[in-house]
Amino acid sequence: MMTVLGCIAGKHNIWLVIVAAVVCIAGSWVIIRLFDRAASTTGAQRIGWHLLTTVAAGSAIWCTHFIAILAYYPDVPVSFDPVMTIMSLLIAMVGVQLGLVAAASGLTQMAPAVGGGIVGLAIVAMHYSGMMAYRVQGIVSWDRPYLLASIFLSVMFSGLALHFAMRRVSRSDKYVATGVLVLAIVSLHFTGMTAFRVSPMLIDGSFSNPAALQALALAVAGVALTIVGAGLASYLIDNSMRAESYERLRHMAMNDNLTGLPNRASFNDHLDHELRIAEETGGKVALIGIDLDRFKEINDLRGHAAGDEVLKILARRMSNLLGDGEFASRLGGDEFAAVYRMRHQAGLADFLARLEAALFKPIRLDDYEIVPGASLGVALYPDNADSKEALINNADLAMYRAKTDITRAVCFYEQSMDETVRARRTLTSELRQAIENNQLDIHYQVQTSISTGEVCGYEALLRWEHPQHGFIPPSEFIPLAEENGLIQQMGEWVLRTACIRAASWEPPYKVAVNLSPVQFAHTDLPKLVLEILIETGLPADRLELELTESTIFADRERSLHMLRQIKALGVSIALDDFGTGYSSLDTLRSFPFDKIKLDRSFMSEIESSPQAKAIIRAVLALGKSLDIPVLAEGIETQGQLTLLSAEGCDEAQGYLLGRPVPLNQIITSGQISLMSSELLEGTATAVRLEEQAVHSAVRRSL
């Protein structure tokens, strides 16, 4: 080692040595980073990064060697063979590329060390081929031990350098790899130059021009640093683009695309963070579940573009009102959530007031004004829950309570809400059992012609007699069936059972069956109706299907297409609950309904309210102009019936005319008798043949 240091001090231009060191260190730093980028990519990107690494590495290593050679003074004239000099550069680039590709291949655990060894051999081959291009006027000899030592040091340190570069155990590995690669280059050069011996033989008596050699060395250094700088610039640009892409992807992953608010994933992370702080500090966290009240109505009446604009405006309002410790996010659809780090109760009240004001403030879109409104449910941690899941569940319970309470928009969680939910779950389970065990029944309510008093038909109404709780109203168990996926099975049973029973009636009255919006949206209804008609033998003109206009709004084009298919079978279609909700003339214009059913809510005021009477008169006039019969529901007094008769209403239904009762009571009263089995079978066979013929014709027309 002392001999090497003596060689550096005694036979080298120290300033050029420093320049070579700068090139070597800068080049090694860039080489390791470019190699790391090449090893972490695939496909065409890996090839590109390998090529860039090769150019930077070959240039840095070769230029370090060349500058150091120019710094060496052998005390005799020197020159360079141009062909061998260029060959040494090519050897460096090709050898380094082979080594780097092998190191990054991942074929074995030893691949980095093996590839590094190849890089070390490439440095050796470059150095000694460069020395072959180094022409001196004297006899050249080599010290074999130093020569072998230089090869060993180059291969060993290069293998270690790429081993550390690929290890990636800690952030310092890249710096260690850079330092070891510098050692590989420096140890080879100076140990190799120590092995180099020159015995001067002056032939022409001239000497090299040190100033010219120094200028050449500086020029080579400038080129080397330019190439290395270009590699560094590529790395930094790619690093910046990666950081920007990562941030962009992170924003997309953590924020809602439409509104820009944090999304469900971001909400979960934030809530976890707040709960952790509350647990460590003994604080409290308020979770507010938010659900817009009239968003579906906005979408249905104004279109999805208007709905999206409403969501964006509300999100912007909520973002603008947030302060320290306050957070709002969109979980999906019209569902939002807010988190408040509790300081005091008054602060929470102020936050809720600001949220409520933002959600209820009117929104002006084009020429109309929308008041979105919302239901807010609040649950506190740890007062109302001891885990995140329980907190979210309790906030949802409070929000649903607020949705059903028209007197307040904000509802705080109470223990009794859990009892309500458990009761609903129990009832749902019992409803499922009732369907499976055939415990449901159908009651029938008569529909009567007002002008003649004759029976027109019967509406089939589903009923559930609970073994313990008695009669469960449809308004309670039908929503449960819709929420829990039971409505399709239940609706099909009602339709099939009503058709089977009606097929045996004498006289052959019509039977009307209600369709649930869920059933209508998820069932291949025309096919089901046809199959049931063929199976039961009920003539198609004796079946009437009732649906509300809100059922059609979910997918208007598909709904109207389905209704046309059903009507083509000969089945009647009635528009139920007309006058409420989404009633529009456009629906009546788009589809020729066979009947309009006037909602019962108008009947209670018909005798005392001029407005109610005017509305009924308008609907009846509309029905006559469109040649669509109108049936009034909810008739409970003779006065109501008399008024409807005077206004020209076609049919009526209500407690005055008959309550919903089981079929056997109607049979006992003599209003309906049942056909004999032989007559019923003959009629059913004829009907099945007719229905099949109709089905074939309909299918051909469609």
Side-chain angles (χ1 to χ4, degrees), residues 587-635:
T587 302
L588 293 176
R589 181 185 61 81
S590 301
F591 183 81
F593 289 93
D594 297 288
K595 186 181 292 182
I596 295 174
K597 296 191 72 175
L598 188 59
D599 189 70
R600 69 182 65 246
S601 60
F602 296 104
M603 292 304 109
S604 60
E605 301 178 3
I606 188 175
E607 296 178 271
S608 58
S609 171
Q611 291 83 1
K613 188 183 298 184
I615 292 172
I616 292 172
R617 186 178 291 126
V619 173
L620 294 174
L622 177 64
K624 283 183 170 56
S625 64
L626 296 174
D627 198 24
I628 302 177
V630 177
L631 181 149
E633 296 182 291
I635 308 303

Side-chain angles (χ1 to χ4, degrees), residues 3 76 124 149 153-154 159 204 271 335-336 397 439 497 540 546 570 636 646 659 672 679:
T3 307
V76 293
V124 170
L153 291 173
S154 177
D204 55 12
L271 185 57
E335 185 182 358
F336 296 82
L397 292 178
Q439 294 175 357
T497 303
E546 298 182 2
E636 298 185 0
R659 292 176 175 271
I672 290 178
L679 181 59

Side-chain angles (χ1 to χ4, degrees), residues 4-307:
V4 174
L5 292 175
C7 173
I8 295 173
K11 290 191 174 184
H12 284 75
N13 181 327
I14 192 63
W15 295 110
L16 290 184
V17 171
I18 293 173
V19 172
V22 170
V23 172
C24 182
I25 293 170
S28 298
W29 191 87
V30 172
I31 290 167
I32 294 300
R33 274 145 187 81
L34 293 178
F35 172 67
D36 177 71
R37 188 55 45 82
S40 62
T41 56
T42 57
Q45 284 194 31
R46 170 171 281 200
I47 295 172
W49 282 110
H50 270 313
L51 289 175
L52 188 58
T53 309
T54 297
V55 171
S59 301
I61 294 169
W62 183 85
C63 289
T64 299
H65 159 80
F66 195 77
I67 296 167
I69 288 293
L70 291 175
Y72 177 72
Y73 291 156
D75 297 328
V76 293
V78 299
S79 62
F80 293 90
D81 181 274
V83 175
M84 286 304 299
T85 302
I86 293 173
M87 283 299 297
S88 67
L89 174 61
L90 295 177
I91 288 170
M93 288 189 173
V94 172
V96 166
Q97 181 168 24
L98 290 175
L100 294 178
V101 170
S105 65
L107 295 177
T108 67
Q109 289 185 345
M110 295 298 292
V114 172
I118 296 172
V119 171
L121 291 174
I123 298 173
V124 170
M126 178 277 303
H127 176 81
Y128 287 109
S129 62
M131 291 305 297
M132 292 174 63
Y134 189 64
R135 303 300 169 82
V136 297
Q137 293 188 18
I139 298 173
V140 176
S141 62
W142 297 90
D143 187 314
R144 186 179 296 274
Y146 279 110
L147 187 145
L148 295 175
S150 69
I151 297 173
F152 173 76
L153 291 173
S154 177
V155 172
M156 180 186 70
F157 284 131
S158 296
L160 282 174
L162 293 197
H163 167 73
F164 281 111
M166 290 291 291
R167 190 172 68 162
R168 299 174 183 168
V169 174
S170 68
R171 298 184 64 181
S172 63
D173 282 342
K174 289 189 179 68
Y175 297 100
V176 173
T178 300
V180 176
L181 183 58
V182 170
L183 277 177
I185 299 169
V186 170
S187 63
L188 165 72
H189 177 81
F190 289 107
T191 307
M193 291 307 294
T194 303
F196 184 67
R197 298 283 186 268
V198 178
S199 299
M201 291 180 61
L202 295 177
I203 299 173
D204 55 12
S206 62
F207 292 91
S208 302
N209 185 346
L213 294 179
Q214 184 173 340
L216 178 61
L218 293 175
V220 171
V223 172
L225 292 175
T226 300
I227 295 173
V228 169
L232 175 61
S234 299
Y235 174 81
L236 294 176
I237 290 171
D238 182 71
N239 223 33
S240 175
M241 290 180 63
R242 281 173 174 247
E244 290 176 4
S245 298
Y246 171 78
E247 186 58 33
R248 192 160 51 247
L249 290 173
R250 179 183 172 280
H251 184 272
M252 291 173 62
M254 301 302 287
N255 291 79
D256 176 57
N257 289 333
L258 177 65
T259 64
L261 282 177
N263 62 12
R264 187 180 293 273
S266 185
F267 161 77
N268 284 324
D269 287 347
H270 182 82
L271 185 57
D272 287 335
H273 174 71
E274 290 295 329
L275 294 181
R276 193 160 49 248
I277 291 176
E279 187 175 349
E280 292 171 356
T281 62
K284 294 183 180 182
V285 175
L287 174 61
I288 302 100
I290 304 170
D291 193 77
L292 302 186
D293 289 339
R294 286 179 286 278
F295 185 68
K296 185 179 185 302
E297 178 182 338
I298 294 169
N299 269 341
D300 289 343
L301 297 181
R302 304 297 181 184
H304 288 283

